[in-house]
Amino acid sequence: MGNRFQVKDVRDRFAAGAQYIGGRSQAGTSGRTHTVVDPATGEDVLTYELAGTADVDAAVAAARDALPGWAGATPGERSEAMHRFAGVLAERAEEFAQAESLQCGKPIKLTREFDVPGTVDNTAFFAGAARHLQGQSAGEYSGDHTSYVRREPIGVVGSIAPWNYPLQMAAWKVLPAIAAGNTIVLKPAELTPLTSLMFARAATDAGIPDGVVNIVTGAGREAGEHLVGHPDVAMTSFTGSTAVGKRVAEIATATVKRLHLELGGKAPFVVFDDADLGAAVHGAVAGALINTGQDCTAATRAYVQRPLYDAFVEQVGDLMASVRLGDPFEESTDLGPLISHAQRDRVAAFVDRARAYATVVTGGVAPHNDGAYYRPTLITGAAQDSEIVQAEIFGPVLVVLPFDSDEEGIRLANDTPYGLAASAWTRDVYRAGLATRAIKAGCVWVNDHIPIISEMPHGGYKASGFGKDMSTYSFEEYTQVKHVMYDNTAVARKDWHRTIFGDR
């Protein structure tokens, strides 16, 4: 057993409440409570008061008040503060890893080696990006004027993050926003607020001014919708399901906000007949089961060219059967629980309905324990238009289908409403090139699936949304582009004035 983050420690740490507004923790005022539950054991971890609309108003006011000072700081000053922020996060890495495992059920080796170091690296990246608010070079494009482009902060950003990667999603929302000089109010998921609150406290402890980073933890229909529709919020960034994203867009559009949506996914995993079979098998299992499949880029649909199909199914089934479920705090545990029993039951219902038209090769059962566990599941024999192939399941389930021609494989890969991520497995550079050009997704991996890096953008096509997280592409989305033009002639009566009055 690892050195488990104690529930008593959590309750002591968040005794003041699960809202973080203007640099201090406080309780919500909605009159309702929510309980964070350890999905591995079913144990209650923390009961807290949810945010109401008054808390959202207070957080937005704090962000608005902090905006002039933070936006007016030099890029170097913001960069220095964010470098200190990265240092504080690195010092507290083990606390973050344990808190994330406790609230999400993630294996501790995943939080220690993926979630937390990725967040520290992302913070360091945006600390550097803060010094590069660059516009187009100055020039005399009209002949009589000098033009240049400024990039300025948008204002107060209101963001909503999901429960599957609470720490990383908090970072992806907060970091580009504040690096560009904005202030932010973030609403994490009610299920998993702990590390978002710890993240905001670390920002304060690093010297980032009060009000720059605020957290409101409340229900989506009350706190979330009020935040998105708030007249003092200039931009909304949302990560979550496509269905909820449509509602967010509807509210944001009514107030003409800048909008960034990172929505659902149903990532194809295309294996051509010249692929390294062992690499593809290992990649499929890892790509399908990361975070217990609760990842919008997880490999969910494997299309395998017919010569490799039978061997791929057999080997993936064997490898999935060897995956170790257990206590997330045991370093030998490979797969933790789903986020809740409700999510576990939702995944199980998808699989149970698929039994009527497909074959469950391995898995498809929930262990008999108190946690929200579900065994890695491999399904074959489903039709392309079936629910199990088309719908986002968000669990440890991989469906494998065969294809014949390269063109068919690409067509099947594109045959869903989503377009967030995909991968192609081949030794042929021309096949790889075709796949990267033809698959309609925001990220296409070749001979790998899942790795992300701070320097490269993450975001989707089609029903997977628009806008980018991470990278300088994300940074630019949190800025206003302003054209500045100077007259160079000192002539009072310009030649073009005759089109309005008088003669030449």
Side-chain angles (χ1 to χ4, degrees):
M1 176 75 70
N3 182 25
R4 190 178 182 119
F5 204 72
Q6 298 298 315
V7 169
K8 180 182 182 300
D9 296 335
V10 173
R11 292 173 181 170
D12 289 345
R13 185 187 293 259
F14 299 105
Q19 318 303 322
Y20 193 80
I21 299 171
R24 68 182 185 91
S25 299
Q26 59 192 66
T29 62
S30 71
R32 294 183 304 282
T33 61
H34 185 85
T35 299
V36 176
V37 176
D38 177 353
T41 64
E43 180 184 8
D44 290 352
V45 174
L46 176 72
T47 299
Y48 65 91
E49 294 80 12
L50 288 163
T53 57
D55 303 303
V56 173
D57 290 341
V60 172
R64 187 184 60 224
D65 290 346
L67 181 63
W70 184 246
T74 67
E77 289 168 340
R78 289 197 294 268
S79 176
E80 184 179 357
M82 292 184 69
H83 276 298
R84 293 195 302 269
F85 188 13
V88 172
L89 294 172
E91 290 170 0
R92 301 176 185 177
E94 182 63 15
E95 289 183 17
F96 276 100
Q98 292 198 31
E100 196 79 330
S101 288
L102 178 63
Q103 68 179 352
C104 299
K106 296 171 184 274
I108 192 68
K109 64 182 180 180
L110 180 66
T111 59
R112 283 176 177 160
E113 299 176 31
F114 184 76
D115 297 69
V116 175
T119 300
V120 174
D121 182 74
N122 212 230
T123 307
F125 172 82
F126 280 108
R131 301 187 76 114
H132 297 284
L133 274 170
Q134 297 171 343
Q136 188 173 344
S137 299
E140 287 66 52
Y141 299 101
S142 77
D144 291 337
H145 306 82
T146 296
S147 290
Y148 69 90
V149 169
R150 290 176 53 87
R151 285 195 175 273
E152 298 179 346
I154 294 173
V156 176
V157 178
S159 293
I160 300 175
W163 49 256
N164 59 333
Y165 289 101
L167 176 60
Q168 285 195 313
M169 293 296 101
W172 288 13
K173 301 302 182 193
V174 169
L175 297 172
I178 68 172
N182 304 284
T183 56
I184 189 168
V185 179
L186 172 71
K187 193 197 88 65
E190 307 95 292
L191 295 171
T192 54
L194 305 184
T195 49
S196 297
L197 292 162
M198 292 166 63
F199 188 74
R201 167 57 66 184
T204 298
D205 292 346
I208 291 175
D210 293 348
V212 172
V213 179
N214 306 276
I215 308 292
V216 290
T217 310
R221 289 193 179 276
E222 182 174 4
E225 293 196 2
H226 190 63
L227 178 61
V228 173
H230 200 290
D232 290 334
V233 169
M235 175 180 175
T236 289
S237 176
F238 170 81
T239 297
S241 71
T242 298
V244 177
K246 291 177 180 178
R247 175 61 179 157
V248 169
E250 179 184 343
I251 298 170
T253 299
T255 51
V256 198
K257 287 177 170 44
R258 177 83 63 91
L259 184 60
H260 167 211
L261 298 175
E262 198 266 90
L263 307 176
K266 190 71 177 174
F269 187 100
V270 183
V271 183
F272 294 97
D273 58 15
D274 68 322
D276 181 325
L277 180 60
V281 167
H282 284 82
V285 174
L289 300 186
I290 185 170
N291 202 33
T292 318
Q294 298 167 126
D295 187 311
C296 48
T297 64
T300 57
R301 301 177 290 137
Y303 296 101
V304 184
Q305 208 152 23
R306 209 168 292 273
L308 295 184
Y309 177 81
D310 290 339
F312 180 88
V313 169
E314 179 182 2
Q315 293 180 33
V316 166
D318 290 345
L319 187 54
M320 277 191 169
S322 74
V323 169
R324 300 165 296 184
L325 280 66
D327 183 344
F329 286 85
E330 290 284 357
E331 295 188 12
S332 60
T333 294
D334 298 322
L335 197 75
L338 291 146
I339 190 64
S340 65
H341 286 83
Q343 179 66 11
R344 191 271 313 274
D345 293 345
R346 178 180 179 274
V347 170
F350 271 108
V351 175
D352 289 344
R353 289 192 296 271
R355 296 180 197 276
Y357 55 80
T359 300
V360 177
V361 175
T362 190
V365 295
H368 296 291
N369 59 26
D370 293 330
Y373 290 87
Y374 197 75
R375 294 201 179 278
T377 300
L378 179 65
I379 293 176
T380 61
Q384 174 66 15
D385 61 356
S386 62
E387 178 191 54
I388 203 75
V389 174
Q390 293 292 324
E392 186 175 32
I393 300 168
F394 231 55
V397 179
L398 176 66
V399 184
V400 186
L401 297 88
F403 69 92
D404 292 304
S405 68
D406 291 9
E407 292 74 19
E408 182 189 13
I410 299 294
R411 177 179 61 78
L412 293 171
N414 284 330
D415 185 26
T416 69
Y418 301 106
L420 186 58
S423 63
W425 297 74
T426 177
R427 292 183 173 96
D428 187 317
V429 66
Y430 297 104
R431 273 177 159 168
L434 172 65
T436 58
R437 293 190 302 273
I439 293 176
K440 303 303 180 187
C443 175
V444 180
W445 292 283
V446 177
N447 295 327
D448 209 343
H449 195 106
I450 287 299
I452 54 175
I453 51 176
S454 297
E455 292 82 0
M456 288 290 112
H458 174 86
Y461 287 23
K462 303 190 292 185
S464 293
F466 49 82
K468 300 299 179 184
D469 289 311
M470 301 195 297
S471 81
T472 56
Y473 294 97
S474 171
F475 183 49
E476 291 173 356
E477 290 194 23
Y478 288 87
T479 65
Q480 294 275 22
V481 174
K482 177 185 287 184
H483 170 215
V484 178
M485 184 180 243
Y486 286 92
D487 170 61
N488 293 329
T489 66
V491 174
R493 178 86 182 266
K494 304 294 194 293
D495 187 56
W496 69 268
H497 292 177
R498 69 184 179 82
T499 64
I500 313 301
F501 59 89
D503 300 319
R504 188 183 297 277

